[in-house]
Protein backbone atom coordinates (compact mmCIF):
# COMPACT_ATOMS: atom_id res chain seq x y z
CA UNK A 1 0.00 0.00 0.00
CA UNK A 2 1.38 3.36 -1.04
CA UNK A 3 1.53 6.23 1.40
CA UNK A 4 2.14 8.82 -1.29
CA UNK A 5 -0.38 11.61 -1.40
CA UNK A 6 -1.71 12.40 -4.86
CA UNK A 7 -1.10 16.01 -5.80
CA UNK A 8 -3.32 17.86 -8.21
CA UNK A 9 -1.57 18.72 -11.48
CA UNK A 10 -0.06 22.16 -11.75
CA UNK A 11 -2.02 24.56 -13.91
CA UNK A 12 -0.66 24.62 -17.45
CA UNK A 13 0.21 28.31 -17.10
CA UNK A 14 2.48 27.59 -14.12
CA UNK A 15 4.16 24.76 -16.03
CA UNK A 16 4.79 27.10 -18.95
CA UNK A 17 6.21 29.77 -16.65
CA UNK A 18 8.56 27.27 -14.98
CA UNK A 19 9.70 26.00 -18.37
CA UNK A 20 10.22 29.57 -19.58
CA UNK A 21 12.47 30.19 -16.60
CA UNK A 22 14.46 27.02 -17.23
CA UNK A 23 14.90 27.93 -20.88
CA UNK A 24 16.11 31.36 -19.81
CA UNK A 25 18.70 29.72 -17.55
CA UNK A 26 19.96 27.56 -20.42
CA UNK A 27 20.08 30.64 -22.67
CA UNK A 28 22.24 32.43 -20.13
CA UNK A 29 24.57 29.45 -19.69
CA UNK A 30 24.94 29.02 -23.44
CA UNK A 31 25.52 32.74 -23.96
CA UNK A 32 28.26 32.84 -21.32
CA UNK A 33 29.90 29.60 -22.56
CA UNK A 34 29.96 30.82 -26.16
CA UNK A 35 31.31 34.21 -25.08
CA UNK A 36 34.06 32.63 -22.98
CA UNK A 37 35.04 30.20 -25.73
CA UNK A 38 35.20 32.90 -28.39
CA UNK A 39 37.21 35.26 -26.18
CA UNK A 40 39.61 32.38 -25.37
CA UNK A 41 40.02 31.83 -29.13
CA UNK A 42 41.01 35.49 -29.54
CA UNK A 43 37.74 37.02 -30.76
CA UNK A 44 37.15 40.68 -29.83
CA UNK A 45 34.83 40.98 -26.81
CA UNK A 46 32.01 42.81 -28.67
CA UNK A 47 31.96 40.15 -31.41
CA UNK A 48 32.05 37.37 -28.82
CA UNK A 49 29.21 39.03 -26.90
CA UNK A 50 27.03 39.37 -30.00
CA UNK A 51 27.70 35.79 -31.07
CA UNK A 52 27.06 34.47 -27.57
CA UNK A 53 23.82 36.41 -27.25
CA UNK A 54 22.72 35.13 -30.65
CA UNK A 55 23.42 31.53 -29.66
CA UNK A 56 21.34 32.00 -26.52
CA UNK A 57 18.51 33.61 -28.49
CA UNK A 58 18.38 30.77 -31.03
CA UNK A 59 18.37 28.26 -28.18
CA UNK A 60 15.53 30.18 -26.52
CA UNK A 61 13.45 30.25 -29.68
CA UNK A 62 13.84 26.52 -30.34
CA UNK A 63 13.18 25.42 -26.74
CA UNK A 64 10.35 27.86 -26.09
CA UNK A 65 8.60 26.98 -29.35
CA UNK A 66 8.92 23.23 -28.92
CA UNK A 67 8.88 22.69 -25.15
CA UNK A 68 7.56 25.71 -23.24
CA UNK A 69 4.64 26.62 -25.49
CA UNK A 70 4.40 23.45 -27.64
CA UNK A 71 3.69 25.59 -30.66
CA UNK A 72 3.21 24.18 -34.14
CA UNK A 73 4.05 27.58 -35.64
CA UNK A 74 7.08 27.59 -37.93
CA UNK A 75 8.74 29.97 -40.34
CA UNK A 76 9.77 33.59 -40.39
CA UNK A 77 6.73 35.10 -38.69
CA UNK A 78 7.18 33.54 -35.23
CA UNK A 79 10.97 33.85 -35.54
CA UNK A 80 10.70 37.57 -36.33
CA UNK A 81 8.22 38.06 -33.51
CA UNK A 82 10.48 36.21 -31.07
CA UNK A 83 13.40 38.39 -32.13
CA UNK A 84 11.28 41.49 -31.60
CA UNK A 85 10.29 40.36 -28.10
CA UNK A 86 13.90 39.47 -27.24
CA UNK A 87 15.14 42.87 -28.39
CA UNK A 88 12.31 44.63 -26.55
CA UNK A 89 13.20 42.72 -23.40
CA UNK A 90 16.88 43.62 -23.73
CA UNK A 91 16.01 47.28 -24.25
CA UNK A 92 13.60 47.42 -21.31
CA UNK A 93 16.10 45.62 -19.10
CA UNK A 94 18.81 48.13 -20.03
CA UNK A 95 16.47 51.09 -19.51
CA UNK A 96 15.37 49.72 -16.15
CA UNK A 97 18.96 49.31 -15.02
CA UNK A 98 19.77 52.85 -16.12
CA UNK A 99 16.80 54.12 -14.12
CA UNK A 100 17.40 52.04 -11.01
CA UNK A 101 21.18 52.30 -10.91
CA UNK A 102 21.73 55.73 -12.43
CA UNK A 103 18.81 57.63 -10.93
CA UNK A 104 17.84 55.61 -7.87
CA UNK A 105 21.38 54.74 -6.85
CA UNK A 106 20.95 50.99 -6.49
CA UNK A 107 24.07 48.84 -6.81
CA UNK A 108 24.42 47.37 -10.33
CA UNK A 109 23.51 43.80 -9.46
CA UNK A 110 20.59 44.94 -7.30
CA UNK A 111 19.31 47.07 -10.17
CA UNK A 112 19.38 44.10 -12.54
CA UNK A 113 17.72 41.85 -9.98
CA UNK A 114 15.00 44.43 -9.40
CA UNK A 115 14.07 44.90 -13.07
CA UNK A 116 14.54 41.34 -14.32
CA UNK A 117 11.28 39.85 -12.93
CA UNK A 118 9.13 42.52 -14.63
CA UNK A 119 10.93 42.14 -17.96
CA UNK A 120 10.72 38.34 -17.74
CA UNK A 121 6.98 38.50 -17.01
CA UNK A 122 6.37 40.84 -19.93
CA UNK A 123 8.38 38.75 -22.40
CA UNK A 124 6.63 35.58 -21.17
CA UNK A 125 3.21 37.10 -21.83
CA UNK A 126 4.27 38.38 -25.25
CA UNK A 127 5.75 35.01 -26.21
CA UNK A 128 2.70 33.14 -24.96
CA UNK A 129 0.12 35.32 -26.67
CA UNK A 130 1.80 37.00 -29.64
CA UNK A 131 4.78 34.87 -30.70
CA UNK A 132 3.56 31.32 -30.15
CA UNK A 133 -0.18 31.72 -29.64
CA UNK A 134 -2.01 30.15 -26.73
CA UNK A 135 -0.73 26.61 -27.25
CA UNK A 136 -0.50 24.66 -24.02
CA UNK A 137 1.98 21.83 -23.39
CA UNK A 138 0.55 18.34 -23.34
Amino acid sequence: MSTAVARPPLPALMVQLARYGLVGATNTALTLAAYAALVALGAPAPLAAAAGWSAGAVNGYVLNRGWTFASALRGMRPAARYTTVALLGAGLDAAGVVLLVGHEGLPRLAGEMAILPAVTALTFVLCRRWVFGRAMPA
Side-chain angles (χ1 to χ4, degrees):
M1 184 167 164
S2 175
T3 59
V5 176
R7 287 187 238 162
L10 289 173
L13 179 64
M14 295 306 294
V15 171
Q16 281 184 333
L17 190 55
R19 288 179 177 183
Y20 192 77
L22 288 171
V23 169
T26 66
N27 295 348
T28 301
L30 182 58
T31 297
L32 293 174
Y35 175 81
L38 290 168
V39 167
L41 291 171
L47 176 63
W53 187 90
S54 296
V58 169
N59 178 70
Y61 175 74
V62 170
L63 292 179
N64 280 318
R65 185 190 72 208
W67 185 54
T68 303
F69 300 106
S71 177
L73 297 175
R74 301 285 186 268
M76 289 304 298
R77 187 174 190 172
R81 286 181 173 190
Y82 187 84
T83 300
T84 300
V85 169
L87 292 172
L88 174 67
L92 290 174
D93 185 76
V97 168
V98 165
L99 180 72
L100 294 172
V101 172
H103 295 291
E104 297 300 320
L106 287 180
R108 291 177 183 177
L109 184 57
E112 177 65 21
M113 290 173 61
I115 196 62
L116 193 57
V119 172
T120 299
L122 175 64
T123 58
F124 172 77
V125 169
L126 289 172
C127 281
R128 185 170 190 267
R129 292 182 179 257
W130 186 58
V131 176
F132 300 114
R134 293 177 157 265
M136 295 295 221

